[in-house]
Amino acid sequence: MLNLHPSFTPLGENNLIEYKSFLFAGGEPHIKISDHFDVGLPVTITHRINSFNDLGMICMAVDALKRMGVKEINLFIPYFPAARQDRVMIPGEPLSAKVYADMINAMALASVTIFDPHSEVTPALLNNCVTISNHEFIKQVIAKIGNEVKLISPDGGALKKIYKVSEFLGGTEVVECSKSRDVKTGKLSGFKVYSDDLAGADCLIVDDICDGGGTFIGLAEALKDKNAGKLYLAISHGIFSKGFEVFDQYFEQIFTTDSIKEVDHAGVTQIKLMNIL
């Protein structure tokens, strides 16, 4: 096991390979891997990709391992970068998900495992891709909430996945919602909840990624207009680029994993991936 983030050990800490990594002055990632392991055995690399340099460090590690004679290399990256850019919305944009996938595919890995992919596009682009669903994560979230909730699908793109979660949980009720997005500006509007009256029911919004949180704040307001009870938010990949204060007045608790980073905030419960996988 080669864990490239020192505090991120999603698959455990057994048989760890020692290494040193750093950035040269120009920002180039570099790694030196200890040869005190059996190069005849498969190696799994784990990492969080929060920057292009993180992907660069993976590329360097794979090259170093291959030069040491390792024949089978597997990669575990729970959050796939640029997963939201899985189509070209306006001329002049890249198909970013494919750019990352092409770079990873070029390393000819035995497998690439990702957690709760944004859509079916990423697994289709990646060679030898293994996906892990959010089902166990949501099961643990509901256990921590400790009372019955309705599952809230934030938009049409989440419907297919949330009904699979509902089936896994034995038929938990799903409330469908929608929103509109200006593809040129990214501005959100037109939040709709397709329920006449939630009659005080507690609600759990389930989605894969939270960046700034505009979707969930707009949706929380729409849910309250339909007489929702307590609101909870479960996010597989928590970026939270605008912090947590923006959510405090809307949600009883936010749940996320450590796929992006460690979180220390009173309103957030973090479930480690090692306890989900």
Side-chain angles (χ1 to χ4, degrees):
M1 192 80 65
L2 182 62
N3 295 324
L4 294 181
H5 193 289
S7 66
F8 184 58
T9 57
L11 304 180
E13 299 185 18
N14 294 324
N15 302 315
L16 295 183
I17 297 173
E18 296 181 357
Y19 69 94
K20 293 181 180 180
S21 64
F22 56 91
L23 296 179
F24 283 113
E28 304 97 332
H30 188 67
I31 192 168
K32 291 183 178 179
I33 300 174
S34 167
D35 62 358
H36 297 156
F37 71 98
D38 186 349
V39 297
L41 295 176
V43 172
T44 297
I45 298 172
T46 74
H47 204 16
R48 294 168 168 148
I49 298 183
N50 287 315
S51 71
F52 217 72
N53 266 345
D54 290 333
L55 178 58
M57 188 63 74
I58 292 171
C59 293
M60 296 300 174
V62 169
D63 185 76
L65 289 169
K66 288 184 175 181
R67 292 178 187 279
M68 296 173 80
V70 177
K71 300 300 183 184
E72 180 180 324
I73 303 174
N74 302 282
L75 177 63
F76 180 87
I77 45 170
Y79 171 69
F80 187 81
R84 290 169 289 176
Q85 295 171 302
D86 58 5
R87 69 196 70 186
V88 176
M89 302 298 293
I90 57 175
E93 289 184 340
L95 183 52
S96 303
K98 188 175 187 303
V99 173
Y100 278 93
D102 286 349
M103 293 181 68
I104 292 172
N105 288 341
M107 291 186 277
L109 301 166
S111 69
V112 180
T113 301
I114 56 178
F115 172 63
D116 194 13
H118 181 65
S119 71
E120 295 177 345
V121 174
T122 297
L125 290 172
L126 278 173
N127 296 338
N128 305 318
C129 182
V130 177
T131 62
I132 300 172
S133 76
N134 65 341
H135 297 176
E136 179 61 28
F137 169 51
I138 301 304
K139 179 181 177 180
Q140 292 190 29
V141 166
I142 292 176
K144 289 182 179 294
I145 292 173
N147 54 283
E148 186 175 341
V149 295
K150 295 181 186 295
L151 297 178
I152 308 299
S153 173
D155 51 41
L159 277 177
K160 187 174 182 180
K161 286 201 295 184
I162 204 164
Y163 275 111
K164 289 183 178 179
V165 172
S166 172
E167 181 181 358
F168 175 79
L169 296 173
T172 303
E173 183 178 349
V174 173
V175 176
E176 299 181 13
C177 303
S178 66
K179 66 178 185 286
S180 298
R181 183 190 297 272
D182 187 319
V183 296
K184 292 184 178 180
T185 66
K187 184 177 180 180
L188 301 172
S189 62
F191 291 92
K192 294 181 179 179
V193 178
Y194 296 100
S195 174
D196 293 333
D197 188 355
L198 291 169
D202 294 344
C203 298
L204 173 64
I205 301 173
V206 178
D207 210 353
D208 60 314
I209 300 171
C210 177
D211 194 336
T215 291
F216 309 113
I217 292 169
L219 185 54
E221 293 175 344
L223 288 166
K224 286 297 185 181
D225 287 343
K226 293 295 182 78
N227 301 314
K230 295 178 180 179
L231 299 182
Y232 301 90
L233 177 62
I235 297 296
S236 296
H237 309 292
I239 300 171
F240 304 117
S241 60
K242 295 185 178 180
F244 299 102
E245 289 73 17
V246 295
F247 303 103
D248 288 344
Q249 64 177 307
Y250 297 100
F251 296 101
E252 296 290 319
Q253 194 74 4
I254 297 172
F255 299 87
T256 191
T257 75
D258 58 342
S259 68
I260 298 286
K261 59 186 177 182
E262 278 82 30
V263 174
D264 183 14
H265 182 74
V268 179
T269 297
Q270 191 164 50
I271 299 175
K272 291 186 176 295
L273 284 172
M274 67 168 58
N275 298 323
I276 296 171
L277 304 177

